[in-house]
Amino acid sequence: MRGFVYLIVFFSFFDLFSQLPVMSPFALSLGATPFLVGLAVGIYSFSNTIGNIISGFMTDKRGPFLILVLGLFASALSLFLYAFIDGPVSLLGVRFVHGFMEGLIVPAAFTFLANRAEESKRGKSVAISGAFVGLAAIIGPAYGGIVAAKTSTPFIMAVNGGIMMLLAILAFFVLRSFTYVRKLPSKGADNFRVKDLFQHPGMVRAFAGAFFLMFSQGVLALVLPLKVESLGFDTKTTGLLLSTFGVVAILIFLLPINRVFDRVRPVVTLAFGITLMGLSMLFLSQVEELNYLYFAMCIYGAGFAFLFPSINSLLIDSSSPEFRGKAYGYFYAFFSIGVVAGSSVIGFLDLEYRAAFMLTGFILLAVALYALIGLKNESSIDKSSHVL
C-alpha cells in the first residue's frame, strides 16, 4: 500500500515538473502576450493552493481515500483538456482547472502515509517520499523538454492524463480496503479553528520551512540560468546543475543516513538543512568557476534533503489524525505560494544574480535562526501543550 501511494506522489510531482520547460513556449505559440504567458504559468500555482486547502478539509471530513481517487480522476480529465485549447484564454481556463484538481491529490496522499506511519519511523517514511519527489524533479523536466521537441505540449499532457487515469483506477481497487473510519466528534474538533494551526510552534516552523524551501526553488529557477548564461555556458549546464542537487538529495533520502530523521529532533535537522541551503546561496553569489557551481548545488541538495523530511515530521508531530488533512492542505499551499513568491520578489526587486543569491541566502539563514529560537524550552512547551 505504501509503495503504491509513493508512486502516486511521484507521478503527481512528475506531472508538475514535466510542465516547467514547455508551458511558456506553448503559451507563446498560442499568441499570448508576455503578461499572459506569466499568468498562464502562475495561475496553476494559484489554483493549486486553493485545491490544497480544500483537499485538507475534505480529507478530514471524508477520509484520504475518497479525495485521493477523486483528485486522480479529476486531474486526468483536466490533462486531456489541453488538446482542446485554441487560444490564450482557453489556456488560462484549463490551467486553472488543472492546478485546482492536482491540488487535491498531494495533501490526501501524504495524510494517507502519515496516518499509517509508525511513530518511531515517521522520519524515514517522509524521507522516502521525499526521494520520489526528488526523482520526479530530475526526470520530469527532461521528459517534458525532450518529448515536446518531437511531439507537442498537448501530447505530453495527454500521456500524463493517461497515467493519472490508470493510477485512479488502480487506487480505487488497491486502497479501498484501507477505509477511513470516522471518529465521533471530540470536544477538540468542535472547538477547532484554522487559526489554531498557526498558533502551534511546530506547525508554524513546518509551514515556514515549506514556504522558504520553495521560495529558494523559485529563486533558483529564475536566477541560476542567468548566472550560467553570463559565465558563457548553455541551458544544458543549468539542467545538469539542477539535476546535481536532486541526485544528492535522493542519495541522502535513501541511504542509511536517513535514520537520522528518526533519532534527531526535527527542528534541529530543519535548522541544519535550511542553513546549508542558505550557505549554498551565498556561495553561488560569489563563485565563477563551473566546478564550484556544482559544489554549491551539492550543498543545496544536502540542505534540501535534511529540510524536507524535517518539516514533514514536524507537521506529523504537531497534528492529530483528525486534523492532519487540514494541516497538510495548508502545508502544501505554502509550497505552491513559496515558488511563486521566490521568483516574483526577486523579479520585482530587479536584482542582478549576485545580489539575488545573497539576499536569498541571508533570508534562509534568518529562518534557520528563527527555527532554533526557543529550542531549549521546546520540551517543556510540548509537555504543557497538546497537539492540534
Side-chain angles (χ1 to χ4, degrees), residues 160-360:
N160 291 354
I163 294 172
M164 288 291 190
M165 185 63 72
L166 178 61
L167 286 174
I169 295 171
L170 291 174
F172 180 77
F173 292 103
V174 173
L175 302 180
R176 65 186 303 180
S177 61
F178 297 92
T179 54
Y180 173 75
V181 180
R182 181 165 175 77
K183 298 178 180 179
L184 294 175
S186 64
K187 184 177 180 181
D190 294 335
N191 296 331
F192 175 80
R193 298 293 183 271
V194 171
K195 66 178 183 180
D196 295 340
L197 293 174
F198 298 89
Q199 293 177 343
H200 192 287
M203 196 75 71
V204 172
R205 288 173 181 148
F207 290 161
F211 177 84
F212 285 105
L213 170 64
M214 297 312 291
F215 183 94
S216 69
Q217 287 279 292
V219 174
L220 272 180
L222 178 67
V223 182
L224 186 61
L226 299 178
K227 182 179 178 76
V228 170
E229 182 181 351
S230 72
L231 296 176
F233 301 104
D234 56 15
T235 54
K236 183 190 297 185
T237 302
T238 303
L240 290 173
L241 285 167
L242 292 172
S243 296
T244 298
F245 105 75
V247 170
V248 171
I250 289 174
L251 288 174
I252 294 176
F253 284 142
L254 296 181
L255 290 174
I257 193 176
N258 64 18
R259 296 170 186 165
V260 71
F261 302 117
D262 292 320
R263 297 176 179 177
V264 179
R265 294 156 73 179
V267 68
V268 175
T269 50
L270 181 155
F272 179 68
I274 206 164
T275 297
L276 287 179
M277 291 169 64
L279 293 175
S280 73
M281 289 289 175
L282 295 178
F283 196 43
L284 281 172
S285 72
Q286 301 299 317
V287 298
E288 303 288 337
E289 296 181 18
L290 186 58
N291 288 339
Y292 289 136
L293 290 178
Y294 278 109
F295 180 66
M297 293 309 294
C298 287
I299 297 174
Y300 183 88
F304 180 97
F306 274 89
L307 179 57
F308 185 83
S310 302
I311 54 182
N312 275 275
S313 294
L314 273 173
L315 185 142
I316 294 172
D317 292 348
S318 303
S319 61
S320 62
E322 64 182 331
F323 301 131
R324 193 159 290 147
K326 298 182 184 69
Y328 265 115
Y330 281 96
F331 181 75
Y332 281 99
F334 277 104
F335 261 72
S336 299
I337 297 170
V339 68
V340 176
S343 57
S344 300
V345 169
I346 298 302
F348 175 76
L349 294 176
D350 195 24
L351 300 174
E352 53 92 26
Y353 62 80
R354 181 176 285 105
F357 280 132
M358 288 189 68
L359 176 61
T360 306

Side-chain angles (χ1 to χ4, degrees), residues 12-86:
S12 295
F13 282 94
F14 176 84
D15 177 45
L16 168 64
F17 289 118
S18 66
Q19 304 169 34
L20 297 182
V22 302
M23 197 48 59
S24 295
F26 181 56
L28 287 171
S29 71
L30 295 171
T33 63
F35 171 75
L36 289 178
V37 171
L39 189 59
V41 174
I43 199 170
Y44 176 94
S45 295
F46 173 74
S47 63
N48 192 261
T49 301
I50 300 173
N52 289 152
I53 295 173
I54 291 177
S55 173
F57 280 84
M58 292 174 65
T59 294
D60 284 337
K61 187 175 183 180
R62 299 292 183 181
F65 168 73
L66 178 62
I67 308 308
L68 193 54
V69 173
L70 175 64
L72 287 168
F73 269 115
S75 293
L77 295 176
S78 68
L79 283 161
F80 292 134
L81 292 177
Y82 281 87
F84 301 98
I85 292 174
D86 58 4

